[in-house]
Amino acid sequence: MATPAPLELIAVTKRYRATLAVDAIDLRIPAGTYCCLLGPSGCGKTSTLRMIAGHEIASEGDILLGAANITTLPPAARGTAMMFQSYALFPHLSVRDNVAFALKMRGIDKATRHRRAGELLELVAMSAYADRLPAQLSGGQQQRVALARALITEPQILLLDEPLSALDPFLRVRMRAELKRLQRELGISFIHVTHGQEEAMALADLVVLMNAGRIEQQGSPREMFNRPRTAFAARFMGGHNVLRRADQQIAVRTDHIRIAPTHALRARVTELEYQGTWLQANLALPDGETLIATLTEQQFDAAPFGAGDEVGIAWDDDAAHPLV
Amino acid sequence: MGERRSATFYALAAFFGLYVLFLYGPMFGIFVLSFQGPDGGLTFPMNGVSLVWFEKLFQGGGIVDLGAAFWRSLALGVVVMLLTVAISVSAGLAFRTRFWGAGALFYITIASLIVPSIITSLGIGLEFRLLDDLVKNHGPDWLAEDHTTWMGLFTSGLGAHLTWTLPFGLLIMFAIFNRFNPAYEEAARDLGATPFQTFRHVVWPIILPSVIGIGLFGFTLSWDEIARSSQAIGEVNTLPLELQGLTTTVTKPDIYALGTSISAVSFLVIFASLFGIRLLQRRRAAR
């Protein structure tokens, strides 16, 4: 496999006629990083990925991979490989020929390219399916073949466009573990576009949260979750209440809200949901503000309450994060 | 299960049955009558069963040489088929990207379907007559001297047929590329394929079954074309034109034998194509 290299985006901008899809973003992804580009649809994450892949050319700015400026290079000359959202496996070619496609285009002889394809299929545990057509495979199997096909070019960075969105929830969790394992074994960077914060937190070394063409916040999953910088970040990462206190917005984790009859701040329980290991209480403050509290079954049993009850709530000072 | 169908169902089914009879009855009648005995006439009842009218047909010797017309139509049909495929596929690819005048070009192409066929045909004939006059009166001597006409099977005739087949071919290509996932091409590009390699190894194999369909369409549309050929075909006639000429003069069932033969070729082409598509799919699945 190729030597891993860091990727750097410098003031990268993408314009489609009048609309600004990506607005001068700066980003550095160290070699061998699992990076998730996270954000709602239309935030510019896919455009960013496609500019790194070379399927779109940046309107302005530079993209550096290692020492090379790859901003305007064609996709295959960049040292990147892309796995497409619906995998885009060629329907008329067998699994083996799909994986060997890049080598065939380079004019490599059949014996060599079939041997290499065999090795890659081994890597993704799909050797037994080499003669099948894509239509004869399950979603998870198709994804593995797509991975093998992308990796045969020995990329320094693998780009994944919503790779898990085509799978059912059960398979999604399994395939995401496989992606993480593969990235660790190969030692190259994976850049993974997703709109699921849960997926990003489970996989990423580096989460890059995007909003309206800009990077809202970046950091490790724990940093992102525990220190959201903005109301948008707090809401998108989930598990937070965004509240207005005096002139400032603050974020308080839902599991840091304490409920007891004695607390001074009064709230009415509008809804109570049992979720197994935890419970969710929807609360309304007298001024109409709403918030959510999650508590363990144990905490709940210590001081049970029901929907419609009035309770007292509180949180520690250091649990309240000021937002900009 | 076991639910009783309403009276409406039976009424509609009967109506549909009548419709099918109306659609295929005449053709079926002609098929049967083409096997009329040697002493039989143009109408039922059958006076024995024989192949004598087919024999007469292929011996030639009638008023016109039907065998020659058959081969002319076949040759024209094949050329129309190949050109329709080549032009439709190229145009289909071109129309995937926006280019200047794309809208106008599309409407001009489709308008050819709307203009009455006979007008198109008259226009083409007129155009060639003008061209011939121009060459005769103003062309260089070496050309003008022996010039009679450029009108012919593979000039004006071919053009007339293409005005009929190309709009269909293009519309089918639009339908094909509407469903075509551009991610296939991006994936090929990502894996280092040149634009030509992408077409050769990815796009073409995926669209091939539909392209065979376009070829089929092109051939059958050309094979039984009359209106557009009528004023633009030149001195020799295609098979359907000969057939039309015969209907006014012939009083023997050999005209039915001719009709049966023409239909047989159409069916043969269709089944050969379907078989080809099936074979292609089988070969893919086997690999």
Side-chain angles (χ1 to χ4, degrees):
Chain A
M1 284 286 153
T3 43
L7 179 83
E8 200 165 350
L9 273 60
I10 303 158
V12 169
T13 299
K14 183 68 193 178
R15 260 185 228 100
Y16 300 99
R17 289 167 197 238
T19 51
L20 190 64
V22 178
D23 186 5
I25 62 167
D26 295 299
L27 177 64
R28 201 186 129 76
I29 301 171
T33 304
Y34 203 118
C35 171
C36 281
L37 297 181
L38 176 66
S41 56
C43 73
K45 58 190 192 299
T46 299
S47 291
T48 304
L49 191 81
R50 290 174 59 81
M51 282 192 284
I52 299 170
H55 292 299
E56 308 273 0
I57 298 296
S59 310
E60 279 160 44
D62 286 291
I63 303 170
L64 309 179
L65 181 58
N69 188 329
I70 61 166
T71 317
T72 56
L73 291 182
R78 295 182 166 225
T80 60
M82 182 145 165
M83 202 176 97
F84 290 84
Q85 189 165 10
S86 49
Y87 313 133
L89 294 174
F90 305 132
H92 59 294
L93 296 179
S94 69
V95 164
R96 180 185 291 109
D97 288 340
N98 259 286
V99 176
F101 188 84
L103 303 184
K104 185 175 182 182
M105 294 305 105
R106 279 185 222 158
I108 289 167
D109 67 275
K110 198 169 184 173
T112 313
R113 64 178 194 252
H114 279 187
R115 186 174 48 72
R116 275 294 288 150
E119 289 167 16
L120 264 301
L121 286 173
E122 189 83 39
L123 180 74
V124 295
M126 284 293 290
S127 302
Y129 300 90
D131 294 315
R132 298 262 187 107
L133 286 175
Q136 297 165 316
L137 302 178
S138 71
Q141 291 169 334
Q142 287 185 16
Q143 183 183 52
R144 292 195 192 141
V145 175
L147 272 170
R149 186 178 70 172
L151 290 172
I152 205 164
T153 59
E154 306 196 348
Q156 290 167 299
I157 293 188
L158 184 68
L159 307 166
L160 307 104
D161 186 8
E162 309 227 0
L164 302 171
S165 61
L167 306 176
D168 63 67
F170 174 74
L171 205 54
R172 201 174 296 163
V173 172
R174 238 182 58 196
M175 290 313 292
R176 106 182 160 199
E178 258 179 64
L179 283 178
K180 183 74 180 167
R181 175 186 61 82
L182 201 59
Q183 187 266 336
R184 230 177 5 241
E185 283 176 14
L186 296 170
I188 63 173
S189 287
F190 277 25
I191 303 179
H192 173 139
V193 159
T194 177
H195 54 250
Q197 51 84 26
E198 192 190 314
E199 201 170 298
M201 296 222 281
L203 282 169
D205 303 315
L206 173 66
V207 177
V208 178
L209 177 63
M210 294 186 67
N211 182 26
R214 291 168 173 279
I215 293 176
E216 186 83 13
Q217 189 175 353
Q218 56 177 300
S220 72
R222 290 193 72 153
E223 281 167 4
M224 294 294 288
F225 187 73
N226 283 315
R227 284 196 293 282
R229 209 173 53 83
T230 61
F232 174 84
R235 290 203 181 96
F236 201 87
M237 296 310 291
H240 282 84
N241 293 298
V242 177
L243 302 170
R244 182 155 284 282
R245 281 292 162 273
D247 297 333
Q248 189 161 34
Q249 278 194 312
I250 57 162
V252 185
R253 275 170 59 163
T254 55
D255 59 336
H256 286 170
I257 306 271
R258 285 185 280 111
I259 298 179
T262 51
H263 293 309
L265 185 57
R266 308 308 293 173
R268 204 170 48 78
V269 180
T270 54
E271 213 80 61
L272 183 66
E273 288 177 1
Y274 178 63
Q275 298 283 352
T277 54
W278 51 281
L279 288 93
Q280 173 175 324
N282 294 5
L283 305 165
L285 298 176
D287 62 2
E289 215 170 14
T290 60
L291 71 165
I292 290 170
T294 51
L295 48 169
T296 63
E297 200 165 20
Q298 227 171 2
Q299 287 170 331
F300 179 78
D301 287 342
F305 55 85
D309 289 359
E310 194 182 86
V311 293
I313 61 170
W315 55 82
D316 295 338
D317 284 343
D318 59 358
H321 301 287
L323 303 170
V324 294
Chain B
M1 288 295 284
E3 200 179 322
R4 274 182 56 86
R5 295 189 190 278
S6 68
T8 323
F9 171 83
Y10 292 104
L12 288 174
F15 184 71
F16 180 69
L18 278 175
Y19 167 74
V20 170
L21 191 71
F22 183 76
L23 201 62
Y24 291 103
M27 202 171 78
F28 190 70
I30 284 179
F31 288 168
V32 172
L33 282 171
S34 65
F35 295 95
Q36 182 74 279
D39 304 322
L42 278 173
T43 49
F44 286 107
M46 296 284 283
N47 200 349
V49 176
S50 77
L51 289 171
V52 78
W53 304 109
F54 287 94
E55 221 170 280
K56 276 214 173 121
L57 183 67
F58 288 103
Q59 272 168 2
I63 314 154
V64 287
D65 189 353
L66 288 175
F70 176 90
W71 291 112
R72 273 200 298 276
S73 264
L74 195 68
L76 183 62
V78 169
V79 172
V80 167
M81 175 178 83
L82 294 177
L83 282 178
T84 303
V85 166
I87 297 172
S88 302
V89 171
S90 316
L93 286 169
F95 271 103
R96 298 178 71 197
T97 52
R98 281 193 197 164
F99 57 89
W100 189 86
L105 189 61
F106 173 72
Y107 288 120
I108 288 171
T109 311
I110 300 308
S112 168
L113 281 183
I114 299 158
V115 176
S117 294
I118 191 72
I119 302 293
T120 308
S121 187
L122 275 168
I124 293 171
L126 194 65
E127 200 180 355
F128 269 75
R129 234 158 275 144
L130 280 172
L131 196 66
D132 289 334
D133 284 346
L134 199 71
V135 171
K136 272 185 236 171
N137 299 328
H138 303 287
D141 287 344
W142 58 269
L143 193 62
E145 222 153 84
D146 300 328
H147 189 82
T148 50
T149 179
W150 270 334
M151 233 188 335
L153 197 62
F154 289 101
T155 51
S156 52
L158 179 61
H161 281 205
L162 287 178
T163 62
W164 187 225
T165 58
L166 282 182
F168 285 109
L170 191 63
L171 286 175
I172 298 173
M173 277 320 291
F174 280 180
I176 295 170
F177 279 126
N178 256 339
R179 290 181 309 176
F180 192 88
N181 184 357
Y184 291 136
E185 287 155 292
E186 282 187 347
R189 205 156 76 98
D190 207 70
L191 295 166
T194 61
F196 177 74
Q197 283 178 320
T198 303
F199 181 75
R200 161 79 185 74
H201 294 290
V202 177
V203 179
W204 179 253
I206 293 175
I207 66 171
L208 187 56
S210 315
V211 170
I212 291 175
I214 292 180
L216 186 74
F217 233 116
F219 181 84
T220 51
L221 285 178
S222 162
W223 178 247
D224 67 356
E225 216 295 318
I226 289 184
R228 276 169 205 244
S229 313
S230 59
Q231 311 301 314
I233 206 69
E235 7 190 76
V236 291
N237 277 342
T238 57
L239 194 54
L241 284 174
E242 297 285 23
L243 187 63
Q244 197 186 30
L246 286 179
T247 49
T248 52
T249 54
V250 166
T251 51
K252 292 270 154 67
D254 51 0
I255 195 168
Y256 294 150
L258 180 60
T260 305
S261 303
I262 296 177
S263 309
V265 170
S266 288
F267 280 118
L268 210 70
V269 169
I270 290 168
F271 284 119
S273 307
L274 291 180
F275 182 72
I277 294 171
R278 278 284 289 280
L279 206 71
L280 236 111
Q281 286 170 338
R282 187 102 35 95
R283 233 179 49 196
R284 265 179 209 176
R287 254 187 320 173

